């Protein structure tokens, strides 16, 4: 800066600067350079804008001056100020015949204007004219503007001209014309779809520069759909070969490397074309092998090509020799001192690891070094790699590391990202429930507001349903450990809202369950929380509901309820709340407290959050009422279909047909408000008992809402109606919430299974490699702590597998039919997998992203466990014969199986690992409950029907009168409860 | 595809900003500020790559190089190679250096349009067009010559030498 100032001053001495600009411009730059604050700079720029506004509109400005004004405008806009007043002058300048002015004009409009700006229409004509110019520089300038300013609508205006330029005499023009067509393709692929043949033709242009430019649009086209271009594989390969063999003129060399950017583009294209295509890939092996072999790892650009080759190798149909060569290059990258190369090495490792998982093991220490590097970019890349290689054996270390890093950064974008990664890994691979809850707590505590609310719901459900422990002791122990941890955390300041919701819910549900904490202690905590976060309505709603539950449990247990004074004041405050939701919850609390133990137990049974709530969709409890109404002379209800007499006509039409001519002007839009009518009308209008209204979905939702609000204080015992906690009970949540649980099991199972198999096969084949590596490791004498970390990250895969394999015996006794069929499928997969180990395509990582659930619960005809044993035996014997170390391998094979089961479970999304299949059972049960609509149970509904009906009617009346439940209204509840 | 080329000094003042996809002025300023904040926080001797997703949209990466008082920054997407982009910065700077003989911040400031001319020869519509600094230089010199010739017709010959940027 100092330097700038002094030189600026010197320059300002002369009236005309050495750079051809006026003194004014130099002064401007100098004063901006010297300004001490943003405010000062702004003042200077605003003054400059004033000057320019005045000057630029003067008549007869010399062209040279005008050019400078435009440049000054650009400068002003670059500093963030509005220069739109000058846009029109820039447009005018493009019309100028003088080349420098024209070029400046084009430069300015490309920087100023968007392609949908109003002024563009004034430029299109000029562009058309300039594209036809004899002066190739004018053509180039116009092409430059075409790239940036022509949008979908104006493409047809210039397209023929640009196509014509493809065969222009100057190669610079041809190159730019190709690029311009490419930009058209990006903006609207349909506009140039008929010109694709031109790109193919330009690929054979005798100027290598034009050929290189053609690769850009071809790359985009091939990315969209590689299939139509498979025939070009041979051409691309031969071009790449020629380039790599220095057949191009020397002028295309860059740092002794022949046309490196062309090579990189070609490798990218080949990677796309060879992906999953064996015959295409076979053409490429030789040339890629040559490039890697001759690769120059001393220069930056040489490494760029090497990296691109690795990317290509990892993308095309795998070739063992190339993979080996790629692994060597990666080793070189990782050992390098340059952070850039390490970064590329880690990235390449992440790509290759899917094909040959063993390769990471050689580089474990390098990876750990990268993880501890001060460079954030490198660190993040390394986390990406770790994410790809997470297994149930190393998930603890990896997730702990991720959380540690997550806490240390402040970048919200990345924090969100890494938090979601942690959650994903934890859900997929968690070794124990306790660990899972602790991990989730940490994630919520530090990034709670950034994670998806679904994660919180999952956690609540997990705590409620357990993970399928077979004994109740572990079950309740899990809950009390959750409660303990929340009571500890609750005191911390500023917890995220989502986390507080989880805490409230868990405390309400299980706070007093193990008898360790008194109700008054828990309620006190809840009240404190509601007070501390008094501007968060959701937290308050959760808190008040939790209070309701705790008091209900107290009453049900026959203890006397002493409401704390702070609690009372909270309830009073909420009774008068502006939020109707909070108000309602407060009233509910009041109503519940006034009831006797029997009623309360029916409303809020203990630990029933995961029971299904049965909803009588037919509203059969209204039958009595309807009967009464009919007896007193009302018309029976006739269903819509009967009324219209039509069988398969849409609702709208049927109603239209009903009242033709009566209303001349009837628009369909008028029909909409009719929707809620049936809910009020049905009880009044009469019907035969069986013919009830087919309730539309939206209507149904409304109805159920009413039922819940009312049903809360009704004593319909068996159904176990509860407070509605969004998402916790999956009844009214989005279907997506529970769906991943049921579906994904198949493909999930494949994922860990494949991982295991690869390890196994590799272990038996490469045990030598590992040995030699171990010995090398000892020689090097490395920091023991790092070694430990390395071992936990990369090694130790056998230990946890053995553990799970023992527990995997459990399901034999009591696994559900669904699980069995899945198991048998899963068990077959590994065998296939071990058949062609090296050639597997990696399974999709994102397991939760599957479609609608369609679990078919079909009992298998053959006992899958018999099959399983049959499958396992030969594979054991075969590996034994393969390697000397049968001892280490046997558990691995068991691991196959356990991997299958744990994978199947983790497919549930909210059930991370765990050994036994009980969870699977409950899982399946839950699924059955949610997917197959709710099962109507007429048991108690019909008995209590009259009561509920009365209350419904009353409620409807109240609503009709526009009165929301207020102080006078608790009658409603009393009525209900007799 | 390359989405933006930025040159800024170590104080965060932009010296050249070219976006290959339109961004409103305010957004441009925000990006420049964000880029500068990231660059400032980078320690010495680390990699030249930064993840730019948080302020430039998905899949955006950033490669920067620090020369004297200037940062040269290229922002691009996943279809480009990071190491190659680093070399492209090198090409750009080498060309500037040849063009201005020992380029310094002042050259960049005062030769705004020439900077753009050079850049347009290297990157065209977000794609790499030319990577040989000798070729770029040739093209730029030709443009300068022709510009001079065409203005010579329009202007009094005396003033030609004075306005012409070297």
């Amino acid at each position: 800066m100092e330097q700038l100032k002094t030189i600026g001053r010197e320059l300002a001495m002369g009236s005309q600067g050495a750079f051809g600009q006026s003194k004014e411009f130099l002064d401007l730059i100098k004063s901006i350079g010297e300004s001490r604050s943003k405010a000062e700079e702004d003042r200077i720029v605003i003054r400059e804008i004033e000057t320019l506004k005045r000057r630029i509109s003067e008549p007869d400005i010399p062209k040279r001056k005008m050019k400078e004004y435009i440049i000054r405008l650009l400068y002003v806009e670059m500093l963030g100020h509005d220069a739109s007043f000058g846009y029109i002058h820039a447009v005018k300048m493009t019309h100028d015949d003088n080349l420098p002015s024209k070029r400046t004009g084009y430069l300015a409009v490309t920087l100023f204007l968007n392609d949908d700006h109003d002024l563009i229409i004034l430029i299109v004509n000029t562009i058309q004219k300039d594209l036809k110019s004899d002066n190739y520089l004018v053509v180039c300038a116009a092409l430059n503007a075409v790239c940036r300013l022509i949008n979908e609508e104006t493409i047809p205006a210039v397209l023929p001209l640009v196509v014509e330029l493809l065969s222009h005499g100057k190669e610079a023009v041809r190159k730019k014309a190709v690029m311009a067509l490419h930009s058209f393709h990006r903006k609207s692929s349909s506009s140039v779809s008929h010109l694709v043949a031109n790109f193919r033709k330009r690929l054979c242009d005798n100027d290598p520069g034009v050929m290189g430019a053609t690769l850009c649009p071809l790359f985009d086209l091939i990315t969209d759909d590689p299939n139509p271009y498979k025939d070009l594989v041979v051409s691309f390969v031969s071009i790449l070969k020629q380039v790599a063999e220095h057949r191009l003129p020397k002028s295309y060399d860059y740092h002794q490397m022949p046309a490196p950017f062309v090579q990189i583009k070609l490798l990218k294209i080949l990677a796309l074309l060879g992906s999953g295509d064996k015959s295409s890939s076979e053409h490429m092996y030789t040339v890629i092998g040559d490039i890697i072999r001759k690769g120059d790892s001393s220069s930056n650009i040489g490494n760029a090509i090497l990296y691109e080759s690795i990317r290509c190798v990892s993308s095309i149909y795998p070739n063992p020799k190339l993979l080996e060569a790629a692994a060597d290059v990666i080793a070189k990258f990782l050992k390098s001192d340059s952070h850039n190369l390490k970064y590329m090495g880690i990235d390449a490792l992440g790509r290759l690891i899917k094909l040959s998982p063993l390769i990471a093991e050689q580089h474990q220490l390098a990876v750990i070094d990268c993880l501890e590097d001060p460079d954030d970019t490198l660190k993040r890349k390394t986390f990406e790699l770790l994410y790809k290689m997470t297994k149930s054996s190393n998930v603890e270390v990896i997730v702990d590391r991720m959380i540690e890093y997550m806490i240390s950064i402040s970048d919200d974008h990345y924090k969100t990202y890494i938090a979601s990664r942690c959650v994903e890994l934890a859900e997929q691979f968690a070794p124990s429930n306790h660990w899972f809850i602790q991990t989730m707590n940490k994630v919520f505590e530090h990034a709670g507001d950034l994670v998806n609310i679904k994660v919180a719901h999952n956690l609540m459900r997990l705590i409620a349903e357990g993970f399928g422990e077979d004994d109740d002791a572990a079950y309740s122990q899990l809950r009390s450990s959750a409660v303990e941890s929340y009571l500890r955390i609750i005191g911390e300041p500023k917890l995220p809202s989502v986390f507080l919701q989880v805490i409230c819910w868990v405390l309400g549900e299980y706070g007093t369950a193990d008898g360790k904490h008194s109700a008054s202690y828990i309620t006190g905590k809840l009240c404190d929380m509601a007070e501390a976060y008094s501007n968060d309505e959701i937290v308050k709603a959760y808190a008040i509901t939790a209070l309701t539950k705790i008091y209900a449990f107290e009453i049900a247990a026959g203890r006397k309820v002493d409401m704390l004074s702070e609690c009372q004041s909270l309830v009073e405050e909420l009774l008068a709340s502006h939020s109707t939701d909070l108000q309602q919850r407060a009233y509910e609390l009041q109503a519940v407290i006034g009831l006797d133990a029997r009623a309360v137990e029916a409303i809020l049974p203990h630990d029933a959050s995961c029971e299904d709530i049965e909803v009588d969709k037919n509203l059969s409890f209204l039958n009595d009422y309807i009967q009464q109404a009919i007896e007193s002379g009302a018309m029976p209800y006739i269903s819509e279909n009967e009324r219209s007499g039509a069988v398969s006509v849409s609702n709208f039409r049927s109603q239209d047909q009903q009242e033709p001519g009566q209303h001349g002007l009837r628009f369909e839009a008028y029909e909409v408000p009719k929707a809620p009518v049936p809910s009020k009308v049905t009880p009044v209008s009469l019907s035969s008992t069986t013919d009830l209204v087919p309730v539309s979905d939206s209507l149904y939702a409304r109805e159920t809402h009413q039922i819940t609000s009312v049903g809360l204080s009704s004593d319909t015992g068996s159904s176990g109606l509860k407070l509605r906690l969004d998402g916790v009970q999956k009844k009214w949540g989005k279907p997506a919430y529970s769906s991943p649980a049921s579906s994904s099991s198949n493909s999930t199972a494949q994922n860990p299974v494949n991982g295991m198999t690869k390890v196994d096969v590799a272990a038996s084949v490469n045990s030598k490699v590992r040995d030699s590596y171990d010995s090398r490791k000892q020689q090097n004498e490395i920091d023991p702590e790092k070694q430990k970390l390395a071992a936990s990250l990369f090694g130790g895969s056998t230990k946890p597998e053995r553990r799970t394999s023992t527990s995997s015996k459990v399901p034999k006794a009591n696994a559900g039919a669904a699980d069995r069929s899945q198991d048998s499928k899963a068990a077959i997969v590994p065998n296939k997998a071990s058949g062609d180990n090296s050639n597997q395509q990696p399974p999709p990582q994102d397991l939760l992203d599957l479609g609608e659930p369609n679990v078919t619960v079909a009992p298998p005809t053959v006992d899958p466990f018999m099959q399983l044993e049959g499958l396992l035996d030969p594979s054991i014997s075969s590996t034994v014969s393969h390697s000397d170390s049968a001892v280490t391998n046997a558990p691995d094979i068991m691991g196959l199986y356990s991997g299958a089961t744990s994978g199947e479970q983790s497919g549930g999304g909210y059930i991370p690992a765990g050994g036994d299949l009980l969870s699977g059972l409950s899982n399946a049960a839950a699924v059955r409950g949610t997917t197959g609509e709710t099962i109507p149970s007429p048991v108690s509904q019909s008995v209590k029907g009259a009561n509920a009906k009365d209350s419904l009617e009353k409620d409807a009346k109240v609503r009709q009168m526009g009165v929301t439940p207020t102080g006078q209204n608790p009658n409603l509840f009393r009525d209900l409860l007799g | 595809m390359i989405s933006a080329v930025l040159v800024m000094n170590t104080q965060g003042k932009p010296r050249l900003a070219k976006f290959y996809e339109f961004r409103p002025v305010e957004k441009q300023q925000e990006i420049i500020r964000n880029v500068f904040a990231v660059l400032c926080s980078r320690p010495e001797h680390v990699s030249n790559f930064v993840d730019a997703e948080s302020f430039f949209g998905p899949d955006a990466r950033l490669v920067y190089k620090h020369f004297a008082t200037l940062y040269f920054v290229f922002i691009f997407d996943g279809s480009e190679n990071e190491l190659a982009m680093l070399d492209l910065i090198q090409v750009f700077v080498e060309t500037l250096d040849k063009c201005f003989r020992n380029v310094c911040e002042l050259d960049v400031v005062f030769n705004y349009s020439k900077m753009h001319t050079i850049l347009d020869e290297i990157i065209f519509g977000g794609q790499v067009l030319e990577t040989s600094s000798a070729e770029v230089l040739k093209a730029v010199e030709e443009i300068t010559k022709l510009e001079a010739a065409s203005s010579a017709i329009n202007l009094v010959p005396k003033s030609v030498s004075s306005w012409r940027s070297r």
Side-chain angles (χ1 to χ4, degrees):
Chain A
M1 199 49 356
E2 228 10 76
Q3 183 197 17
L4 177 81
K5 279 183 200 164
T6 52
I7 300 175
R9 211 162 287 140
E10 270 169 40
L11 286 169
M13 293 301 182
S15 63
Q16 193 112 62
F19 296 97
Q21 271 82 11
S22 70
K23 182 172 178 302
E24 270 177 357
F25 189 33
L26 297 184
D27 280 345
L28 169 72
I29 289 166
K30 187 168 72 92
S31 53
I32 286 176
E34 283 169 352
S35 64
R36 299 236 173 68
S37 65
K38 181 76 186 144
E40 197 181 337
E41 186 192 301
D42 285 347
R43 263 202 307 282
I44 296 169
V45 176
I46 287 166
R47 206 166 50 225
E48 169 73 8
I49 290 176
E50 301 281 297
T51 321
L52 282 174
K53 258 188 198 162
R54 211 173 45 242
R55 294 275 184 81
I56 215 164
S57 47
E58 282 170 9
D60 298 329
I61 309 167
K63 281 182 178 138
R64 183 170 55 84
K65 269 272 184 235
M66 195 63 196
K67 192 182 148 199
E68 194 197 290
Y69 290 154
I70 296 291
I71 299 281
R72 274 155 77 175
L73 274 178
L74 287 172
Y75 191 75
V76 162
E77 191 164 284
M78 190 172 69
L79 291 172
H81 293 263
D82 178 47
S84 53
F85 65 89
Y87 290 178
I88 186 70
H89 297 282
V91 172
K92 255 197 257 169
M93 250 184 132
T94 60
H95 305 333
D96 203 310
D97 286 333
N98 173 294
L99 182 65
S101 294
K102 193 182 257 317
R103 284 179 50 86
T104 311
Y106 273 129
L107 171 66
V109 290
T110 51
L111 290 173
F112 281 146
L113 303 182
N114 189 11
D115 62 7
D116 55 5
H117 197 280
D118 296 340
L119 292 174
I120 295 291
I121 209 71
L122 296 177
I123 304 175
V124 172
N125 197 19
T126 319
I127 290 179
Q128 281 179 328
K129 205 180 78 206
D130 289 344
L131 285 176
K132 285 184 271 192
S133 165
D134 293 336
N135 187 339
Y136 86 98
L137 284 176
V138 173
V139 178
C140 284
L143 279 173
N144 210 350
V146 161
C147 270
R148 185 54 204 277
L149 300 178
I150 296 296
N151 64 12
E152 210 176 332
E153 286 166 33
T154 38
I155 284 176
V158 294
L159 187 60
L161 295 168
V162 175
V163 172
E164 212 169 285
L165 291 175
L166 283 177
S167 40
H168 193 273
K170 278 266 184 190
E171 95 268 345
V173 176
R174 290 207 297 274
K175 254 196 310 200
K176 287 178 180 173
V178 170
M179 295 295 202
L181 280 183
H182 180 204
S183 81
F184 292 163
H185 169 74
R186 269 206 320 273
K187 281 172 182 163
S188 140
S189 53
S190 60
S191 66
V192 290
S193 53
H194 59 290
L195 293 171
V196 170
N198 282 319
F199 292 139
R200 283 167 173 261
K201 207 161 80 195
R202 282 302 126 209
L203 196 58
C204 316
D205 197 289
N206 46 20
D207 182 73
V210 181
M211 182 273 295
T214 316
L215 295 177
C216 300
L218 280 173
F219 173 74
D220 275 13
L221 286 166
I222 293 170
T223 312
D224 292 344
D225 178 18
N227 286 325
Y229 301 93
K230 294 278 185 191
D231 60 311
L232 287 178
V233 170
V234 183
S235 324
F236 286 133
V237 167
S238 83
I239 295 172
L240 182 57
K241 195 157 178 268
Q242 290 174 43
V243 173
E245 286 173 354
H246 287 273
R247 301 272 195 82
L248 291 184
K250 269 272 177 273
S251 64
Y252 288 92
D253 282 9
Y254 173 79
H255 291 209
Q256 282 91 50
M257 193 55 75
F261 282 82
V262 171
Q263 288 195 48
I264 288 170
K265 220 35 178 212
L266 278 168
L267 284 167
K268 278 188 186 294
I269 290 175
L270 290 182
L272 290 173
L273 286 171
S275 170
D277 181 345
K278 194 173 176 193
S279 60
S280 297
S281 301
E282 273 164 358
H283 290 294
M284 308 169 189
Y285 291 152
T286 332
V287 67
I288 298 173
D290 284 350
I291 290 177
I292 296 181
R293 195 154 29 80
K294 285 193 275 182
D296 165 24
S297 55
S298 61
S299 74
N300 189 41
I301 196 73
N303 286 319
I305 292 173
L306 282 173
Y307 164 77
E308 210 52 61
S309 316
I310 301 174
R311 265 187 86 155
C312 187
V313 166
S314 67
S315 162
I316 62 175
Y317 194 85
N319 172 298
K321 260 197 193 143
L322 284 181
L323 287 176
E324 217 171 277
D328 289 344
V329 177
I330 291 177
K332 243 187 270 172
F333 280 176
L334 287 174
K335 277 182 201 130
S336 144
D337 286 332
S338 152
H339 279 82
N340 289 346
L341 288 186
K342 277 189 193 164
Y343 173 91
M344 296 318 247
I346 295 281
D347 182 86
L349 196 57
R351 289 173 193 280
L352 221 56
I353 205 162
K354 289 179 272 177
L355 298 169
S356 46
L358 252 209
I359 164 175
E361 215 151 292
Q362 306 165 27
H363 303 299
Q364 33 184 309
L365 289 170
V367 171
I368 286 160
D369 277 341
C370 291
L371 201 58
E372 280 161 8
D373 201 274
D375 185 351
D376 252 6
T377 315
L378 191 54
K379 223 181 229 174
R380 290 176 188 190
K381 201 73 194 173
T382 314
F383 278 122
E384 195 74 358
L385 171 69
L386 290 182
Y387 168 78
K388 282 182 191 153
M389 48 184 265
T390 307
K391 305 181 280 228
S392 50
S393 57
N394 57 16
V395 65
E396 287 171 76
V397 191
I398 289 177
V399 172
D400 279 356
R401 284 263 157 177
M402 283 185 174
I403 290 177
E404 207 177 288
Y405 181 64
M406 185 185 82
I407 295 170
S408 73
I409 56 172
S410 55
D411 168 6
D412 268 1
H413 178 84
Y414 194 70
K415 219 173 191 170
T416 314
Y417 176 75
I418 200 161
S420 70
R421 283 273 149 110
C422 287
V423 171
E424 196 182 318
L425 290 178
E427 285 183 345
Q428 208 173 328
F429 298 108
S432 74
N433 313 329
H434 184 74
W435 179 85
F436 182 75
I437 289 179
Q438 293 304 323
T439 307
M440 295 316 265
N441 285 355
K442 272 188 234 160
V443 173
F444 277 124
E445 200 177 332
H446 298 287
D449 290 330
L450 304 172
V451 296
N452 194 324
I453 186 80
K454 274 184 193 167
V455 176
H457 294 161
N458 264 350
L459 180 61
M460 288 188 242
R461 179 200 282 214
L462 194 76
I463 295 172
E465 293 185 346
F467 309 77
E469 285 85 354
D470 23 13
D471 59 319
D472 282 345
Y475 208 27
S476 51
Q477 198 197 339
L478 164 72
R479 288 167 178 178
S480 34
S481 82
V483 170
E484 286 303 320
S485 67
Y486 291 148
L487 285 175
R488 246 196 330 271
I489 291 169
I490 217 169
E492 311 242 337
K494 281 200 187 156
L495 291 172
S497 171
V498 177
F499 193 34
L500 289 168
Q501 293 166 28
V502 176
I503 294 178
C504 282
W505 189 84
V506 171
L507 289 185
E509 200 68 33
Y510 305 111
T512 54
D514 59 356
K516 240 194 242 169
H517 303 285
S518 69
S520 63
Y521 178 70
I522 302 283
T523 50
K525 286 277 181 195
L526 286 167
C527 288
D528 290 348
M529 205 148 56
E531 204 176 321
Y533 300 90
S534 57
N535 48 3
D536 188 336
E537 280 192 2
I538 303 177
V539 170
K540 275 206 278 194
Y542 268 88
I544 188 95
T545 306
L547 287 175
T548 313
K549 276 191 266 187
I550 288 179
Y551 286 132
F553 298 154
E554 286 296 291
I555 294 169
R559 284 189 286 267
K560 200 176 156 338
V561 173
D562 270 332
M563 215 196 240
L564 295 175
S565 62
E566 57 205 281
C567 190
Q568 235 141 16
S569 61
L570 175 71
V571 172
E572 253 145 52
E573 181 204 321
L574 294 188
L575 284 175
S577 167
H578 287 299
S579 153
T580 45
D581 179 53
L582 287 180
Q583 226 181 52
Q584 182 176 348
R585 284 172 200 264
Y587 276 112
E588 283 164 0
L589 169 62
Q590 270 197 334
V592 165
I593 284 177
L595 300 172
D596 63 54
R598 196 185 52 86
V600 169
E601 192 162 15
I603 308 167
L604 288 168
H606 190 249
D607 189 19
S609 58
C610 16
E611 314 271 306
D612 292 328
I613 295 177
E614 280 114 14
V615 177
D616 184 0
K617 222 178 164 183
N618 286 326
L619 308 177
S620 56
F621 56 86
L622 290 173
N623 289 354
D624 280 352
Y625 177 84
I626 293 164
Q627 200 59 46
Q628 238 173 28
I630 290 178
E631 275 161 19
S632 56
M635 284 279 291
Y637 174 73
I638 306 162
S639 77
E640 264 177 327
N641 283 349
E642 282 174 52
R643 263 180 285 159
S644 63
V647 188
S648 59
V649 193
S650 77
N651 281 354
F652 286 133
R653 195 160 301 167
S654 68
Q655 279 176 10
D656 275 355
Q657 280 173 357
Q658 241 210 335
E659 326 174 340
Q662 275 188 350
H663 310 283
L665 288 169
R666 258 207 91 117
F667 292 102
E668 283 167 1
Y670 281 13
E671 297 295 331
V672 180
K674 262 198 161 183
V677 171
S679 73
K680 285 172 202 155
V681 169
T682 344
V684 185
S685 79
L686 301 178
S687 82
S688 64
T689 46
T690 44
D691 259 347
L692 279 173
V693 205
V695 190
S696 76
D697 267 359
S698 61
L699 178 57
Y700 175 56
R702 200 166 311 167
E703 286 271 336
T704 47
H705 187 77
Q706 278 185 10
I707 289 174
T708 27
S709 59
V710 176
L712 170 85
S713 30
S714 82
D715 50 357
T716 49
S718 71
S719 58
L721 289 177
K722 302 216 56 171
L723 282 182
R724 198 161 70 102
L725 289 172
D726 279 307
V728 176
Q729 304 161 336
K730 53 256 170 194
K731 269 82 228 172
W732 298 294
K734 287 175 193 143
Y737 175 46
S738 60
S739 61
S742 51
S743 59
S744 55
S745 44
N746 246 358
S747 58
T748 355
Q750 232 163 324
N751 184 18
V753 167
N754 285 353
M756 299 291 184
T757 344
K758 281 182 214 149
V759 171
D760 292 342
V761 175
S764 53
V765 176
N766 288 0
S767 55
K768 250 189 237 163
V769 175
R770 200 183 286 174
D771 287 348
S772 67
Y773 177 69
D774 283 345
S775 60
R776 210 180 335 137
K777 202 163 65 174
Q778 279 159 7
Q779 284 165 9
N780 286 351
E781 284 193 26
I782 303 139
D783 180 12
E785 216 162 274
K786 272 190 190 167
Q787 272 181 342
K788 223 167 76 189
L789 181 57
S792 51
L793 276 178
F794 298 89
S797 57
T798 49
K799 190 185 65 187
E801 276 159 21
R802 198 173 300 159
R803 181 175 54 85
T804 42
S805 69
T806 48
S807 62
S808 70
K809 281 171 194 149
V810 180
K812 282 193 186 180
N814 50 8
D819 291 323
R820 287 194 200 182
S821 60
Q822 281 157 4
D823 277 354
S824 63
K825 269 184 227 152
I828 293 162
V829 176
N831 251 32
K832 252 195 255 158
S834 56
D836 53 350
N837 53 67
S838 65
N839 298 337
Q840 292 161 18
Q841 284 304 311
Q845 278 287 336
D846 194 353
L847 302 164
L848 298 174
D849 208 5
L850 288 167
E852 282 297 292
N854 49 350
V855 174
T856 48
V857 189
T861 46
V862 198
D863 185 357
F865 290 95
M866 291 301 288
Q867 288 182 321
L868 200 68
E869 267 150 23
L871 288 170
L872 282 177
D873 281 340
S875 55
I876 290 178
S877 58
S878 68
T879 23
V880 168
S881 64
H882 263 300
S883 80
D884 310 332
S885 53
V887 196
T888 54
N889 269 312
D892 276 0
I893 294 298
M894 281 313 282
L896 278 186
Y897 170 64
S898 72
T901 55
S902 74
E904 178 262 319
Q905 286 179 342
S906 63
Y910 57 94
I911 306 173
D916 47 341
L917 285 183
L918 253 183
S919 65
L921 227 184
S922 66
N923 186 0
V927 167
R928 222 173 294 138
T930 44
T931 52
E933 295 296 56
T934 31
I935 307 147
S937 86
V939 188
S940 61
Q941 297 281 10
S942 54
V943 184
K944 311 287 178 190
N947 249 345
K949 179 197 67 191
D950 280 354
S951 64
L952 251 185
E953 190 191 355
K954 230 172 210 163
D955 189 44
K957 218 181 272 170
V958 168
R959 272 160 212 272
Q960 267 172 349
M961 292 189 293
V963 187
T964 40
T966 53
Q968 283 114 354
N969 209 10
N971 279 341
L972 180 60
F973 300 107
R974 198 135 322 132
D975 234 34
L976 257 173
L977 305 155
Chain B
M1 157 160 187
I2 299 165
S3 1
V5 172
L6 305 174
V7 179
M8 58 178 78
N9 71 3
T10 39
Q11 318 262 302
K13 287 225 161 60
R15 292 306 183 200
L16 179 96
K18 187 153 186 137
F19 292 82
Y20 289 94
E21 275 159 354
F22 181 78
R23 310 247 169 183
V25 180
E26 308 80 57
K27 185 81 191 136
Q28 290 185 11
Q29 290 302 307
E30 193 190 315
I31 289 168
I32 291 171
R33 270 198 305 278
N34 279 322
V35 167
F36 182 67
V38 170
L39 296 190
C40 287
S41 64
R42 306 270 302 162
E44 295 269 321
H45 309 300
V46 292
S47 66
N48 299 72
F49 314 137
V50 178
D51 175 56
E53 275 187 22
S54 53
F55 53 83
F56 211 85
D59 201 29
R61 301 115 192 263
L62 176 160
V63 165
Y64 71 98
K65 215 161 179 182
H66 187 178
F67 291 94
T69 58
L70 290 175
Y71 283 119
F72 286 77
V73 180
F74 283 21
I75 301 171
F76 53 92
D77 67 12
S79 65
E80 303 288 344
N81 179 317
E82 279 101 332
L83 284 174
M85 283 300 119
L86 196 59
D87 264 25
L88 202 63
I89 295 183
Q90 187 68 33
V91 171
F92 185 38
V93 176
E94 267 177 31
T95 315
L96 290 180
D97 200 49
K98 280 181 194 157
C99 199
F100 298 117
R101 291 181 208 90
N102 289 324
V103 64
C104 71
E105 192 178 339
L106 268 181
D107 295 312
V108 175
V109 180
F110 289 124
N111 294 284
Y112 196 75
S113 64
K114 195 161 194 179
M115 289 283 288
H116 276 285
T117 309
I118 295 169
L119 193 57
D120 284 348
E121 288 302 314
I122 298 174
I123 301 169
F124 190 88
Q127 302 288 342
V128 182
L129 187 70
E130 178 60 68
T131 52
S132 150
S133 61
E135 292 290 321
V136 175
L137 213 56
K138 236 194 309 186
V140 172
E141 267 160 18
E142 206 166 337
I143 291 169
T144 323
K145 223 180 336 183
L146 273 167
E147 280 192 349
S150 76
S151 58
I153 303 161
N154 297 319
L155 289 167
V156 199
K158 228 169 44 182
S159 65
V160 171
S161 62
S162 65
W163 80 263
R164 198 177 127 196
S165 51
R166 343 198 211 161

